Amino acid sequence: MEKDWVKEINKLKKERKAVVLAHYYTLPEVQDIADCLGDSLALAQYAEKTDADMIVFAGVHFMAETAKILNPDKKVLIPDFHSRCSLADTCPAEDFAEFKREHPDHKVISYINCSAAIKVMSDVICTSGNAEKIVGSFGKDEPLIFAPDENLGSYLNRKLGREMLLWNGGCHVHFQLDEEDLMDARKKYPDAVFIAHPECRESLLRHASFIGSTTALIKYVKNSNEKNFIIATEEGILHEMKKEVKDKELFILKKKNLPNYGCAYMKLNNLEKIYACLKDGVNEIVMDKETMDKARKPILKMLSLS
Ligand code: 13P
Ligand code: SF4
């Protein structure tokens, strides 16, 4: 007989003094057992404050790594080491180091979706929830590099009138969506308001009534008087959104003829693997002290500015 994973996980969480953190893109049943469910910013803020002995991070690798950097003396575990992030992977450390060397007078703002090695080379980190504030903390004429998400960087350049140099990385989930997909969706849902995550392309973002992080998108839908929404981000967000707005129609923007649209990396987190982390301490994030110490500075700077 299959175990009652929820019951077992809750029991082990108490025994181990552990917490489970989950991103909105994870499976619904994973979101439901989380002590903290949130966007990248909320999860980093929670990780900074928690007094738990053990953190199981149901997200992707850079998120668990960030939690470890903030908690060097705690056990931080990831349910599946294959939970990478395609966006973080578009920015290899050696290539970025070379890019940085070519622009020695530039400060570096890195989106949290990057490896610890990139964080070490950054002056400050940002998430989609605080990016405008973080960029705004630099003087208008200060030369800046923004990495690794080109779509988010160019959105910030347009919105804030900046000319940051951009690394040309992107997330496969958001990058693939384009105008034609929206036109298609609009034929089906002509009255729906279109909202989007800033990791989407400019050609799509220019049609959006609202652009924001996953938390901001959920809040927007909740507080809006409108009833129907087309949403351009990963489909896992619908679980929490539907809880918040029971009386509204929500449609995730999909690529035509592409049934498996979501972030496969996020979906690798499941209850059985979370249970294994809690029970046997498997998949621990291990990092060297020097990297953690150097990467912590730009993360703490972000948290203090948020
Ligand atoms: P937020 O959690 O900041 O909304 O970003 C979405 C994302 O792609 C996380 O990997
Ligand atoms: Fe990374 Fe994209 Fe998945 Fe977010 S949705 S974790 S940016 S691959």
Side-chain angles (χ1 to χ4, degrees), residues 116-250:
I118 301 297
K119 290 185 174 80
V120 166
M121 290 184 258
S122 308
D123 293 283
V124 64
I125 303 304
C126 75
T127 75
S128 58
N130 61 15
E132 288 180 35
K133 198 186 257 184
I134 300 291
V135 174
S137 71
F138 290 88
K140 266 270 179 206
D141 300 323
E142 237 176 308
L144 299 171
I145 289 172
F146 187 89
D149 192 64
E150 188 175 20
N151 286 340
L152 175 59
S154 66
Y155 166 70
L156 293 165
N157 275 346
R158 289 191 302 279
K159 178 130 197 229
L160 304 173
R162 298 273 177 162
E163 289 182 357
M164 297 187 290
L165 287 182
L166 308 178
W167 183 261
N168 72 342
C171 153
H172 72 292
V173 177
H174 293 87
F175 200 82
Q176 65 185 343
L177 296 169
D178 212 344
E179 262 178 327
E180 68 212 29
D181 306 306
L182 178 63
M183 298 315 143
D184 213 46
R186 282 218 155 126
K187 279 186 211 146
K188 284 190 227 150
Y189 319 114
D191 302 330
V193 176
F194 174 56
I195 61 173
H197 194 281
E199 286 178 24
C200 296
R201 295 161 187 259
E202 201 271 310
S203 52
L204 187 57
L205 291 180
R206 67 169 172 237
H207 297 283
S209 302
F210 178 74
I211 296 166
S213 71
T214 44
T215 296
L217 294 174
I218 293 169
K219 279 195 190 143
Y220 184 84
V221 167
K222 191 177 169 189
N223 297 330
S224 167
N225 293 325
E226 300 290 338
K227 289 282 175 212
N228 304 332
F229 297 87
I230 298 169
I231 304 141
T233 194
E234 210 274 349
E235 60 192 353
I237 196 173
L238 287 184
H239 184 59
E240 182 63 17
M241 249 185 201
K242 282 181 180 163
K243 281 188 188 168
E244 293 284 351
V245 289
K246 296 207 169 47
D247 57 333
K248 300 188 182 182
E249 297 280 356
L250 310 171

Side-chain angles (χ1 to χ4, degrees), residues 78-98:
I78 184 162
D80 191 319
F81 265 120
H82 297 101
S83 304
R84 302 195 58 78
C85 166
S86 62
L87 168 55
D89 288 347
T90 57
C91 195
E94 313 81 68
D95 299 350
F96 187 70
E98 179 60 34

